[in-house]
Amino acid sequence: MELPPSHFPAARAAAVALGYLWYLRGGPGRGLELRELRRARRQDIDDVGHKYYLELELEDVLDKGRTVNCTAEVLYPLGSKTSAPDVQVTVQGELRSTEETDQEFYNRIRSLEKELEAEDIPDSHGNVPPELEPIHLLAWVASGFLIWQNSTENTKFHLAQVKHVKQVKRSDEDLQFDYMLLLHEMVSQEVLPWQVTVLWHPRRGARVSQSPGNT
């Protein structure tokens, strides 16, 4: 069944697909925003659930004007409030390489004499200091994981703010950041705090783990 792109269930499915893509392909040097939901349709699969087929246009927030197209499939399991939606995404075209900026960020954080700590990103005026932009984009990765894992067909999560972030010193080569994120659930209008840990390395990408339940 074809859906108008402005249809609320289509927009909620698009938010899940974008969150999954943030988790999969995001990092301190890349942030993708939804520029347009071009097409959406829903398939009701008996005894399985509702499946959404989406065509998206995405924009690179660090390179305005650079866009890529993406197709996504989002399956919400029938009657399940605990299972994450099954998401498949395909990016059509090349994403901008972040190899150089990733390495620069990694070297900068590794060379700090004191572990990085910050709060309220963005601030009350919506500003993000340039030196914290990579930390903010890693929060997008973490929130993408949370959005994917915790969404249902009746929710739409959005990262409102990094309330607090602290780097944790490690003996291996990974960078570790412990975040307290505020996620805005657009349907209920609740703002939910969530604790999440991000391990990141320029060669291995990000790994995310959430604390049991939202805190």
Side-chain angles (χ1 to χ4, degrees):
M1 177 176 65
E2 283 289 329
L3 300 173
S6 59
H7 199 247
F8 286 131
R12 292 196 283 265
V16 175
L18 183 61
Y20 182 74
L21 193 60
W22 282 357
Y23 172 58
L24 207 63
R25 304 293 295 273
R30 176 185 294 133
L32 297 169
E33 278 187 326
L34 179 63
R35 186 167 180 173
E36 184 184 2
L37 174 56
R38 290 183 162 173
R39 189 180 179 197
R41 64 186 178 91
R42 188 181 78 184
Q43 180 185 11
D44 298 342
I45 306 173
D46 289 345
D47 301 322
V48 176
H50 295 156
K51 191 171 191 176
Y52 290 80
Y53 300 85
L54 309 168
E55 295 179 12
L56 315 169
E57 183 182 18
L58 308 174
E59 183 174 51
D60 188 332
V61 297
L62 297 182
D63 188 6
K64 292 291 189 183
R66 178 190 282 263
T67 61
V68 292
N69 293 325
C70 171
T71 58
E73 298 178 7
V74 179
L75 172 64
Y76 295 98
L78 196 65
S80 175
K81 294 186 177 180
T82 56
S83 297
D86 182 53
V87 184
Q88 297 179 48
V89 293
T90 303
V91 176
Q92 298 161 341
E94 288 295 315
L95 295 173
R96 174 181 54 84
S97 171
T98 63
E99 187 174 343
E100 188 175 330
T101 54
D102 284 352
Q103 194 62 50
E104 286 175 2
F105 168 72
Y106 181 77
N107 293 342
R108 177 168 71 86
I109 297 299
R110 293 277 289 186
S111 67
L112 292 176
E113 292 184 6
K114 186 180 178 183
E115 287 75 41
L116 181 144
E117 191 167 2
E119 58 185 23
D120 297 337
I121 312 169
D123 64 19
S124 57
H125 302 290
N127 299 317
V128 178
E131 68 273 13
L132 292 178
E133 187 62 57
I135 298 294
H136 189 219
L137 290 175
L138 270 179
W140 284 28
V141 176
S143 70
F145 176 81
L146 294 174
I147 290 166
W148 165 44
Q149 287 289 304
N150 295 283
S151 288
T152 71
E153 203 167 359
N154 300 310
T155 60
K156 185 181 180 184
F157 290 104
H158 167 74
L159 175 61
Q161 189 182 48
V162 177
K163 192 62 186 168
H164 184 260
V165 58
K166 180 176 175 58
Q167 180 192 359
V168 177
K169 204 171 186 69
R170 295 177 62 87
S171 57
D172 60 15
E173 293 185 335
D174 287 338
L175 300 181
Q176 177 177 335
F177 300 98
D178 289 351
Y179 284 93
M180 172 64 79
L181 303 180
L182 299 181
L183 264 61
H184 182 198
E185 203 288 292
M186 313 286 277
V187 178
S188 66
Q189 290 298 311
E190 286 186 276
V191 176
L192 304 170
W194 234 299
Q195 288 185 331
V196 64
T197 294
V198 177
L199 300 181
W200 184 82
H201 188 278
R203 287 196 304 273
R204 292 187 286 273
R207 283 152 292 153
V208 180
S209 59
Q210 61 178 315
S211 298
N214 55 315
T215 308

